[in-house]
Structure formats: C-alpha cells, structure tokens
Amino acid sequence: MKNSENSRRSFIKKGALTIAGVGLFNQIDMKAYAGNDEVIVPETFPADGAFSLPALDYDYAALEPYIDTMTMQIHYSKHHQTYVTKLNEAIEKTPELQGKSLKDLIMNINAAPESVRTAIRNHGGGHYNHSMFWKMMNPKAADSITSDDLRKALMAKWNDMETFKSEFNKSATGLFGSGWTWLIKDTAGALSIVNTANQDNPLMDISSQKGKPILGIDVWEHAYYLKHQNKRADYLAAIWNVIDWNQVSKWYSEM
Ligand SMILES: [Fe+2]
C-alpha cells in the first residue's frame, strides 16, 4: 500500500471514530452558490482526508422541551455519524472523489461514478443537511430576524411570519415519507418553500427543486418519533421555538 493510501486510511479511521463534543428555481445558475462552503458548515470541509461530525454548539438537553434530549443524542451521534461513516467509505474506494469538498460532491452527483452515486447522494446529502440543521437551531433562539433584507423578502412573499410558518408547516406535513422542507433563496433574493425527498438538498444537481437553502427542517421520523410519535405537526409546531433566525439571516445575507 502506498504511503498516501496508508495516511488516508489512517485519517479515515480516525475520522470515523471521532464523535466531536458530545420552479423558477430550476433555472438558477447554481455556480452562483459555489465558493460559499465556509458559510454553511465550516467544520465539514477538510482540505484532504475524511469527513467528520461537526461539533455541536450546545448540549443534547439544551433544546428541551422542544427537542428532547434522547432524540438529539441519537440523531446526532448515531444517525448523523452513520451518514459520515458511509460517505467516507464511498470516498475511500473512489480516488477521483478524494479531496473534494462536501459541497462540491453534492452539487455534482451526476459526475460521481455510478458505483457510488447513490451513496454520495444519500450520505453526502445526509452529512450536509444535518450539519446545517444543528447550526440552524439554538436554545436562545427567538423570532429575531437580524437581516432587514430577509425580513423584507419574507414579508413580500407571505405578509407576516405566522402565514410563512403556516405555509411551511403545511408543506412539511404534506411531504410523503422521509425528507426535508426548505426555505430557499434564488439569485434575486426571492424566497420559496420546497420539499425534497430522503437526503436530497436544493443545491444538488439532481434535485427537482433548486436554490440556496437558508433554513431546513428534517421531517424524517427519526427527528421526532421518540417525543411525538406519528404527530409530525406537533414536532413542527415545537421546532419554531428553537430556530436561530440570526443564523438564517446570516445565511440569507452571505451569498
Ligand atoms: Fe435526520
């Protein structure tokens, strides 16, 4: 085995063991979003080597009573870790994909060798989506939109926050099976609510809904079943209490 391979295998092994700290849109020029890796999930873009879990900025219990401790623990340390581990396994056996950023990988699913394309889509998407999800929540969160531009864009589309949340929840409850509901921004700054199945993301080249995601809610059952069982609407009603609008504002502005 070459030294570089040895090094890479060692790095991957280390990464796999790491559990840190605890419509219009189809015509968007997606290149406009390239180069913003550090804005979304800075911990997940190694220059070389394996991907790893990003550190949580809060304890598992910090989002109680809206998101329960056990769900946070299992969701982060088991579900997200599995996406990371399986993504690394796919990359390890695909030399042409090594060294690419996570964002580069998920924006170019069709360019991935067929043998790992589904793995990159599912596990790369899972890693990206969850990395964003943890950042988007905050125990001190409140309805404080710090970006005037974001507030204007929201009001222009939905008139008030209650209408926006109601439309978002309607879209999320209507999503059949597992997936994500997103608030996305187009290159003109306009907003839209879209659903994607499984671990797809609006940044993906294969996504039917394209745009820059600035807020995304995980509606897989693993995100809420322990506390709310089959009542997805109850989970959606609760999660707005911990959405970090400061972070959403930042993502909206930094494009
Ligand atoms: Fe999840």
Side-chain angles (χ1 to χ4, degrees):
M1 187 182 295
K2 293 177 190 171
N3 284 340
S4 59
E5 288 174 344
N6 262 326
S7 172
R8 177 167 179 80
R9 283 176 188 279
S10 169
F11 198 80
I12 286 177
K13 187 178 177 187
K14 185 180 169 191
L17 291 172
T18 298
I19 298 180
V22 224
L24 160 67
F25 301 97
N26 288 329
Q27 280 81 52
I28 289 173
D29 177 6
M30 297 305 289
K31 288 177 183 170
Y33 301 125
N36 285 333
D37 294 351
E38 68 287 356
V39 174
I40 303 291
V41 278
E43 300 87 348
T44 57
F45 299 98
D48 189 20
F51 293 102
S52 60
L53 274 181
L56 274 181
D57 296 331
Y58 41 81
D59 296 335
Y60 292 142
L63 304 180
E64 291 271 12
Y66 307 111
I67 306 291
D68 63 287
T69 306
M70 188 174 286
T71 293
M72 275 300 301
Q73 183 172 6
I74 294 172
H75 201 174
Y76 173 79
S77 69
K78 303 296 184 188
H79 290 282
H80 190 170
Q81 180 63 56
T82 299
Y83 295 123
V84 171
T85 301
K86 290 185 178 295
L87 173 63
N88 284 332
E89 287 172 1
I91 301 288
E92 186 179 16
K93 60 187 179 188
T94 318
E96 59 267 50
L97 296 182
Q98 292 170 9
K100 291 185 180 296
S101 75
L102 179 58
K103 195 169 189 180
D104 192 9
L105 289 170
I106 69 164
M107 289 178 76
N108 296 284
I109 302 290
N110 279 327
E114 197 172 351
S115 59
V116 293
R117 194 172 298 156
T118 300
I120 300 297
R121 178 178 185 173
N122 290 341
H123 304 303
H127 183 26
Y128 191 96
N129 296 346
H130 287 84
S131 297
M132 191 174 169
F133 191 56
W134 312 131
K135 284 274 179 199
M136 196 196 69
M137 295 188 289
N138 188 314
K140 295 175 186 154
D143 278 351
S144 55
I145 300 174
T146 54
S147 160
D148 286 340
D149 288 343
L150 174 58
R151 185 183 299 280
K152 285 176 189 166
L154 280 163
M155 296 306 116
K157 186 75 178 272
W158 293 285
N159 296 317
D160 57 68
M161 287 300 286
E162 289 312 307
T163 304
F164 159 68
K165 289 177 185 174
S166 171
E167 290 298 312
F168 193 101
N169 289 358
K170 193 163 91 178
S171 185
T173 50
L175 193 161
F176 180 75
S178 299
W180 290 72
T181 298
W182 305 94
L183 177 63
I184 60 173
K185 175 188 178 184
D186 69 14
T187 49
L191 299 170
S192 186
I193 297 166
V194 300
N195 291 338
T196 58
N198 302 316
Q199 293 298 346
D200 284 358
N201 183 292
L203 289 173
M204 288 180 174
D205 54 346
I206 47 79
S207 178
S208 59
Q209 306 287 346
K210 292 189 177 67
K212 179 193 175 184
I214 62 170
L215 186 159
I217 293 186
D218 186 346
V219 294
W220 284 57
E221 284 189 342
H222 69 223
Y224 60 87
Y225 204 85
L226 289 176
K227 184 175 176 67
H228 300 289
Q229 295 76 53
N230 62 325
K231 299 183 285 286
R232 185 185 288 178
D234 289 358
Y235 158 69
L236 292 166
I239 200 171
W240 291 109
N241 291 288
V242 292
I243 295 297
D244 186 351
W245 282 100
N246 289 327
Q247 181 63 67
V248 178
S249 299
K250 200 171 162 191
W251 285 332
Y252 180 83
S253 302
E254 292 178 352
M255 184 176 84

